[in-house]
Amino acid sequence: MMLQCPRAGVRNRLAEGSFVRIKQQNNYPPDRDSLSGFFYFAKLSAMNFWQKLKKPIMAIAPMANVTDAAFRRMFAECGAPDVFWTEFVSVEGLLSRGRERLLPDLWFSENEHPIVAQIFGGKPEQFEEVGALIRELKFDGVDINMGCPDTGVEKSGGGAALINTPGVAKQIIRALKKGVGDMPVSVKTRIGYSKNEIAEWIPSLLEEGLAALTVHLRTRKEMSDVPAHWDLAPGIVELRNRLAPQTILLGNGDIYTLSDAHARVKESGFDGVMIGRGIFGNPWFFSGRTPDVRERLMTMIKHTELFEEIYKSNLQKKEGALKNFDVMKKHFKAYVSGWDNAKELRVKLMETENASHVRNIIEKFLASSK
């Protein structure tokens, strides 16, 4: 498995705490002022992978401590989506002394293209610099999180807090575009903060010429406590068609099966959907397959061992662990469900401390079930 990470020059600059924008030898892209608008935007369009995707587009939702390199690798092997997304990463963190702890969240394998890096923050000036890093890491696109309701994310001015500061949101998009050059920029957001603000909020984003826009069809206040408002989707499509017809539009919320996904696209008029909770424990989601119990459990073992290999979760933090093994445990409940004795097996798995323990428990369970 080849995991992308910063090249030596970038790592050195990051380690020195003096990361500056990386310029390619041919100095492309040049400043916008030095080109005609037609040539500049034609070049961006040529590099925009979104326009080359077959519809309906199916994407994995970015989720902290979920859509990591190990998780995505399982989908790459069992049934890949049309677009992969990373976990969301703080731009402020990537510019701090703690950046080395965050860079693993941006690792990906060669089998995960196209892949979009998602970042969050509230200070426009930080996005241009981080955008240069994202470009150097060879992502296919970059996405700004403007919908996360986490209080920590909102305190930074990012996530759903940006719905209340549309002027800052616009500045962030523009700054990121400068940093990433010809890489397509997208946004994931919600229909409003405490109420439906589609009529004001969505146009303010579409005016910025986004490559793609994903809309979670709930407000920040609603979290995930109410059904997603898919009845509002046609109105969003109408705004897109009128204001930014080239922007790809994805919907998000309450999609648990592949048939759900196709039905939502057909009903809404969206170009595709992004799936979050529906993909837990189901790397076969996009293939449409339903594996038997043995295949589910053996895949879970592989996922666990890959997680340990990548993130050294069997070690202590001081010994080089990048993620705690407990992060992996949230997947066990999703993998182990829907059959007799599943609960008892989950209880045992929640007491494990490493991948070897998980393998031993699963192999004994499968042997006793023959």
Side-chain angles (χ1 to χ4, degrees):
M1 176 181 64
M2 297 295 292
L3 291 174
Q4 301 283 355
C5 59
R7 294 202 291 265
V10 178
R11 287 198 298 269
N12 291 340
R13 282 190 286 275
L14 288 173
E16 294 166 3
S18 59
F19 178 79
V20 295
R21 289 190 63 186
I22 304 154
K23 295 188 178 293
Q24 299 178 359
Q25 291 182 353
N26 63 357
N27 291 321
Y28 184 83
D31 293 335
R32 181 182 300 198
D33 293 341
S34 68
L35 292 171
S36 68
F38 174 81
F39 178 80
Y40 181 83
F41 288 108
K43 189 69 177 181
L44 292 184
S45 178
M47 299 299 293
N48 186 354
F49 78 88
W50 286 103
Q51 296 298 326
K52 302 174 184 178
L53 297 177
K54 183 179 178 180
K55 300 174 184 177
I57 299 167
M58 303 288 164
I60 282 181
M63 294 175 280
N65 281 324
V66 176
T67 53
D68 55 37
F71 180 87
R72 297 192 311 269
R73 178 62 180 273
M74 300 316 301
F75 280 82
E77 295 185 6
C78 297
D82 296 305
V83 187
F84 286 96
W85 240 267
T86 69
E87 305 172 75
F88 52 89
V89 186
S90 165
V91 293
E92 188 167 5
L94 288 170
L95 297 175
S96 73
R97 292 184 177 181
R99 62 176 66 85
E100 296 297 334
R101 299 293 302 179
L102 292 177
L103 286 173
D105 293 339
L106 296 176
W107 287 349
F108 62 92
S109 71
E110 58 190 11
N111 296 324
E112 296 171 45
H113 291 286
I115 184 166
V116 175
Q118 194 185 64
I119 53 179
F120 73 87
K123 299 176 181 178
E125 65 274 13
Q126 295 178 336
F127 279 79
E128 181 174 353
E129 191 169 354
V130 168
L133 170 60
I134 299 298
R135 185 180 71 210
E136 174 69 7
L137 294 178
K138 304 301 182 184
F139 279 93
D140 298 295
V142 59
D143 188 85
I144 309 167
N145 185 315
M146 296 190 182
C148 180
D150 179 80
T151 55
V153 172
E154 288 194 308
K155 283 181 180 179
S156 74
L162 287 167
I163 299 173
N164 293 326
T165 57
V168 175
K170 285 175 169 288
Q171 292 175 35
I172 285 174
I173 294 171
R174 295 170 188 175
L176 182 59
K177 283 186 174 184
K178 289 181 180 179
V180 300
D182 54 13
M183 182 180 292
V185 173
S186 58
V187 165
K188 182 176 187 292
T189 189
R190 290 173 177 258
I191 60 173
Y193 196 84
S194 57
K195 63 181 188 299
N196 180 345
E197 300 173 71
I198 290 173
E200 303 80 26
W201 173 234
I202 298 301
S204 72
L205 296 174
L206 292 172
E207 290 168 357
E208 295 304 314
L210 298 171
L213 175 64
T214 303
V215 182
H216 182 163
L217 293 157
R218 296 184 179 94
T219 66
R220 186 269 179 223
K221 182 179 180 180
E222 289 171 333
M223 303 288 279
S224 295
D225 297 332
V226 302
H229 303 290
W230 280 94
D231 57 303
L232 300 176
I236 298 173
V237 173
E238 190 280 328
L239 286 172
R240 188 279 307 272
N241 292 346
R242 178 162 51 88
L243 299 173
Q246 294 303 311
T247 298
I248 296 296
L249 198 57
L250 304 182
N252 176 231
D254 294 342
I255 299 172
Y256 296 101
T257 66
L258 194 58
S259 60
D260 285 345
H262 285 282
R264 291 303 190 188
V265 171
K266 185 176 181 180
E267 296 165 2
S268 67
F270 281 174
D271 298 304
V273 292
M274 175 180 282
I275 302 94
R277 288 177 294 176
I279 60 176
F280 270 74
N282 188 8
W284 306 271
F285 182 98
F286 299 101
S287 72
R289 289 184 57 238
T290 302
D292 60 20
V293 173
R294 180 179 181 81
E295 185 178 357
R296 286 174 64 89
L297 294 179
M298 294 306 294
T299 299
M300 187 190 75
I301 291 175
K302 187 172 184 178
H303 184 176
T304 306
E305 291 176 341
L306 187 60
F307 180 87
E308 183 173 282
E309 176 188 344
I310 295 172
Y311 299 110
K312 305 182 188 304
S313 59
N314 57 322
L315 304 177
Q316 297 297 314
K317 187 175 181 180
K318 62 182 179 181
E319 298 174 328
L322 300 173
K323 290 196 177 193
N324 191 288
F325 186 72
D326 285 347
V327 171
M328 183 64 213
K329 291 182 180 181
K330 68 179 63 178
H331 298 286
F332 294 163
K333 182 177 180 179
Y335 274 110
V336 186
S337 63
W339 68 83
D340 293 341
N341 303 322
K343 182 178 179 180
E344 290 79 0
L345 180 58
R346 287 200 303 271
V347 170
K348 292 180 180 179
L349 289 170
M350 294 305 291
E351 297 174 352
T352 58
E353 298 180 355
N354 55 52
S356 178
H357 292 168
V358 171
R359 175 175 282 279
N360 289 338
I361 289 173
I362 294 303
E363 288 180 346
K364 288 179 180 179
F365 173 83
L366 291 174
S368 65
S369 300
K370 290 182 179 179

